Amino acid sequence: MNIKEALTQIVSSAFSQCGYEARLGGVAESARPDLCQYQCNGALAAAKQAKKKPIIIAEEITSCLENDDRFSKIETAPPGFINITLSDKYLAGLLNTMSGDSRLGIRKAEVKTVVVDYGGPNVAKPLHVGHLRSAIIGQSLCNLARFLGYNVISDVHLGDWGLQMGLVISEVELRQPNLPYFNAEYNGEYPKEPPITEEELSEIYPAAASRAKTYSEFAARASRATVELQDGLPGYRKLWEHIREISISSLKRDYSRLGVSFDKWLGESDAGKYVPKVLGLLDEKGLLADSDGAKVVEVALAEDREPMPPMIVVKSDGGDNYAITDLASLLQRRSDWNPDECWYIVDNRQTLHFKQVFRAACLAGLFTQSQCTHYGFGTMNGKDGKPYKTRDGGVMRLSELIASVTASARAKVELSSVEMSEQEMADAARQIGVAALKVGDMINHRSKDYIFDIERFLATDGRTGPYLQYTTVRIRSVLKKAEASGFIPGEILAPQSQTERALGLALLTLPDTLSRALNEKAPNIICEAMFSIAGELNRFYFENKIISCPDSSIRSSWLGLLDLTRKALELLLGIIGIEVPRSM
RNA sequence: GCGCCAAUAGCUCAGCUGGAUAGAGCAUCGCCCUUCUAAGGCGAGGGUCCGGGGUUCGAAUCCCUGUUGGCGUACCA
């Protein structure tokens, strides 16, 4: 049950009972925990229309509710606040209900089919730090939406169809011109084995890109190769398949290290099949126009404040660009899956691009504007505030980054006073390193740039991934020791102390936390909630010696509270994609 | 040039429909382990919420304006 919604319902009905609009009864967590647990400010808002002092209205509402035994206190405060405190017995009842439910009282949202487009790796180059945010934020949102009952289809949307492919192909051709892929006369079988290795591939793309910058001849050749590939030239097609194959296996390996996976490994190339159809749709509606040899769609609206350039859908060389492949992907998604919504978890810098694509999709009749949304994210910057780079100024590979945080985490694990086997240490190092990365990222609001500082993310104190893991490990350890003494979690009793009450209240926010996080597509809301629960737990833990508590009913109640806290943290950590080490 | 976004404690960041005394973590200073994992907990100091107008009973939050920074601005993705 969502406690805020439940209280809102109670107070709203009091408002309508007293002759005011029900919508005034919104209840929020209190801004003054010293005075109350929840508050409603509706009386303040009602005052003007009712032509009454807010405090009078507030009193009417409270007098309507004061005999409700779910509240230990419901009172007014000037100028018109309604302050609510739950009775301890009611609170304990809610916690027991939560604890007895496999979903911790979190009901599913409406059923919707959603396509989530994230990851967006380029097959020509290895994953680098720039891909981190899309992967972990996208994965968290998928996990969250699934838990809340959505039918989620995640699609990595490979960058495997643009100019980068022409560049790689032309570079390979330049280096190994005798390969059969480049012989137009060749009609034998192409080799089974790729002509290049994964390592070579990662070197080839930057080499080709810089060659194209220097030699316009090479650049022209690459864009010609791109068009030929897109037109289905067999040799290029075969070579391209090899490149894709090499790349996908390396991508899967890197993503799996982050706990990220996709339902669909489709790419721009798969959208390629739909390009003619989309162009047909646009043409039918008279939306295509010529402009400097390219075909464009006018997407500007009269009411736009910002200038909106027309969207190029066919380049002047006849090739597909990412505007048309994104549009074609939307057609593919509609035909194959008919989703209610499409979410794009892509860098903020592509805001304009997605505005154009969604408008074009709307004009073509594929989706309505509100069905497609770009949930952008900010840049990961170094401590200097500029985009994160390695010491020598290059872009850091994701695999390198993960190796480096794992090594740092390993050093901390070795300092631990807890005895661990080699395997346990290795697992813990990996899990802690990844948790540090993920929390360091997702504690920040998605849409903002943030400073990447791995030392801080891995620090032994602070709001870090390791802190959350440590708290969970601690709870598990106590529960295990208690069980060894024959003590098991029991019914949660009315709280005896402020810290115990505060922990209970923090746990009650769970349903609201998840629904807000889903509404806003904001994993930081989940992180905030985890820190608040973990903080309350650690205070409670410090104040109370649980296992040695002489009163057996209090002890089993405390264990019940601990167990519920464990389940709550495990649920939230799971959504964010964080594993908890066996010990640390 | 035009447009989009941001600016909150020394640092890194939260701040949900406009509400009471703007919150965390780090850093600084001072405490708490013979007892369940001290990678923990408690306390103290630290703020012109970028500046200026406005709307409102009430503004970090909404509107206008200025400053600073980031990004985008058709044939890369």
Side-chain angles (χ1 to χ4, degrees):
Chain A
M1 181 182 75
N2 185 326
I3 185 68
K4 251 157 62 170
E5 275 177 18
L7 292 174
T8 295
Q9 215 163 35
I10 294 168
V11 178
S12 295
S13 70
F15 267 92
S16 38
Q17 229 176 309
C18 297
Y20 303 99
E21 286 179 63
R23 61 166 186 88
L24 297 165
V27 172
E29 272 134 41
S30 164
R32 290 288 303 271
D34 53 322
L35 299 179
C36 58
Q37 297 168 348
Y38 298 91
Q39 66 183 84
C40 170
N41 306 329
L44 293 161
K48 194 164 199 179
Q49 212 188 352
K51 292 187 177 136
K52 279 188 203 173
K53 282 192 171 171
I55 192 79
I56 305 287
I57 300 171
E59 271 157 14
E60 288 170 21
I61 305 300
T62 52
S63 66
C64 192
L65 294 170
E66 63 196 352
N67 292 322
D68 195 319
D69 64 3
R70 288 173 289 194
F71 308 135
S72 71
K73 213 166 62 177
I74 178 154
E75 55 190 14
T76 64
F81 296 106
I82 298 166
N83 290 345
I84 302 167
T85 298
L86 305 183
S87 74
D88 285 339
K89 204 176 146 206
Y90 180 54
L91 171 59
L94 291 172
L95 294 173
N96 283 313
T97 308
M98 236 178 126
S99 190
D101 176 14
S102 63
R103 295 181 54 85
L104 302 182
I106 301 157
R107 61 168 186 268
K108 295 191 176 183
E110 60 192 307
V111 180
K112 264 188 200 175
T113 297
V114 175
V115 173
V116 185
D117 183 315
Y118 65 109
N122 188 319
V123 297
K125 28 185 178 176
L127 287 179
H128 56 81
V129 292
H131 294 104
L132 180 70
R133 299 208 79 187
S134 180
I136 64 182
I137 294 169
Q139 188 67 48
S140 298
L141 295 179
C142 287
N143 296 344
L144 174 63
R146 282 204 181 97
F147 181 72
L148 292 180
Y150 283 27
N151 173 29
V152 175
I153 302 169
S154 63
D155 183 3
V156 68
H157 200 66
L158 285 169
D160 63 353
W161 205 232
L163 181 63
Q164 80 271 25
M165 301 317 306
L167 284 165
V168 172
I169 289 170
S170 300
E171 181 72 17
V172 175
E173 185 168 12
L174 198 69
R175 294 182 185 193
Q176 307 181 54
N178 295 325
L179 290 172
Y181 311 103
F182 310 119
N183 180 353
E185 312 292 302
Y186 187 82
N187 46 24
E189 289 248 331
Y190 289 107
K192 287 230 157 41
E193 290 304 308
I196 52 171
T197 64
E198 188 186 323
E199 251 341 276
E200 283 168 329
L201 176 59
S202 65
E203 175 267 324
I204 282 175
Y205 176 73
S210 84
R211 193 189 302 278
K213 250 188 195 161
T214 324
Y215 303 102
S216 57
E217 231 170 276
F218 180 77
R221 186 167 154 183
S223 52
R224 209 161 48 239
T226 307
V227 176
E228 284 171 339
L229 169 70
Q230 291 173 351
D231 287 343
L233 191 71
Y236 283 3
R237 180 83 195 181
K238 187 65 201 177
L239 176 57
W240 170 84
E241 279 169 17
H242 283 314
I243 296 168
R244 248 178 75 98
E245 211 176 294
I246 302 170
S247 180
I248 288 178
S249 72
S250 108
L251 290 171
K252 284 191 172 166
R253 194 186 56 226
D254 284 349
Y255 278 127
S256 79
R257 286 187 184 142
L258 280 177
V260 170
S261 62
F262 301 89
D263 300 323
K264 307 289 175 187
W265 279 79
L266 299 179
E268 294 169 348
S269 60
D270 295 281
K273 300 189 266 293
Y274 292 82
V275 166
K277 269 196 213 169
V278 173
L279 289 173
L281 274 178
L282 294 169
D283 200 22
E284 261 172 45
K285 307 206 173 201
L287 296 164
L288 289 180
D290 282 308
S291 176
D292 292 340
K295 284 201 168 71
V296 303
V297 176
E298 189 58 63
V299 289
L301 300 173
E303 65 267 28
D304 279 340
R305 243 173 81 95
E306 68 182 302
M308 177 81 56
M311 187 173 92
I312 294 183
V313 290
V314 182
K315 295 194 288 182
S316 48
D317 67 8
D320 302 341
N321 63 0
Y322 81 140
I324 194 65
T325 51
D326 269 338
L327 201 51
S329 289
L330 281 170
L331 174 57
Q332 175 267 317
R333 286 166 184 170
R334 203 199 62 174
S335 323
D336 293 354
W337 309 318
N338 194 28
D340 299 294
E341 290 174 15
C342 297
W343 302 350
Y344 288 78
I345 317 302
V346 182
D347 195 297
N348 272 335
R349 285 174 290 197
Q350 298 200 25
T351 301
L352 178 59
H353 162 71
F354 283 114
K355 260 188 202 165
Q356 292 182 301
V357 171
F358 298 158
R359 284 188 182 183
C362 189
L363 289 170
L366 294 176
F367 286 102
T368 63
Q369 282 279 354
S370 61
Q371 285 180 293
C372 302
T373 314
H374 169 217
Y375 297 105
F377 53 82
T379 313
M380 193 170 121
N381 290 330
K383 278 195 240 182
D384 56 359
K386 299 200 183 113
Y388 187 73
K389 291 270 156 63
T390 54
R391 284 217 180 103
D392 56 15
V395 180
M396 188 180 265
R397 283 209 199 172
L398 198 53
S399 51
E400 247 179 279
L401 180 67
I402 294 171
S404 130
V405 294
T406 305
S408 307
R410 171 71 193 224
K412 308 237 172 187
V413 168
E414 283 173 5
L415 293 175
S416 167
S417 54
V418 183
E419 290 239 0
M420 279 181 257
S421 69
E422 168 53 34
Q423 186 59 50
E424 279 174 331
M425 283 206 268
D427 289 345
R430 181 182 53 82
Q431 292 166 327
I432 292 169
V434 170
L437 274 185
K438 289 189 174 178
V439 173
D441 186 299
M442 288 189 280
I443 186 70
N444 303 296
H445 188 93
R446 160 176 62 73
S447 68
K448 292 198 190 172
D449 294 352
Y450 79 103
I451 309 267
F452 183 85
D453 178 355
I454 194 59
E455 286 310 311
R456 185 159 57 80
F457 298 169
L458 266 170
T460 53
D461 36 13
R463 310 176 84 204
T464 63
Y467 173 91
L468 297 171
Q469 291 174 312
Y470 174 77
T471 304
T472 310
V473 168
R474 208 181 201 191
I475 298 172
R476 286 180 179 173
S477 169
V478 176
L479 288 169
K480 206 168 130 195
K481 285 214 167 121
E483 196 182 358
S485 312
F487 305 148
I488 52 163
E491 193 193 344
I492 298 169
L493 305 175
Q496 304 287 314
S497 67
Q498 199 47 48
T499 45
E500 193 177 347
R501 196 172 289 120
L503 176 56
L505 288 170
L507 291 167
L508 284 190
T509 63
L510 218 54
D512 188 56
T513 295
L514 294 188
S515 74
R516 274 178 47 222
L518 182 68
N519 282 341
E520 294 178 38
K521 315 293 178 290
N524 73 303
I525 292 176
I526 296 175
C527 292
E528 292 288 344
M530 287 192 288
F531 283 109
S532 125
I533 292 170
E536 297 301 350
L537 182 280
N538 280 321
R539 272 183 278 281
F540 174 73
Y541 173 91
F542 179 82
E543 268 186 24
N544 302 289
K545 297 297 167 214
I546 296 156
I547 294 177
S548 53
C549 173
D551 183 318
S552 70
S553 63
I554 292 179
R555 184 177 55 224
S556 88
S557 161
W558 280 351
L559 288 170
L561 188 59
L562 226 55
D563 198 40
L564 177 58
T565 308
R566 175 188 62 79
K567 287 189 271 194
L569 286 175
E570 286 172 355
L571 173 68
L572 298 179
L573 286 168
I575 288 172
I576 287 299
I578 289 175
E579 295 175 45
V580 180
R582 191 186 290 268
S583 52
M584 65 187 282

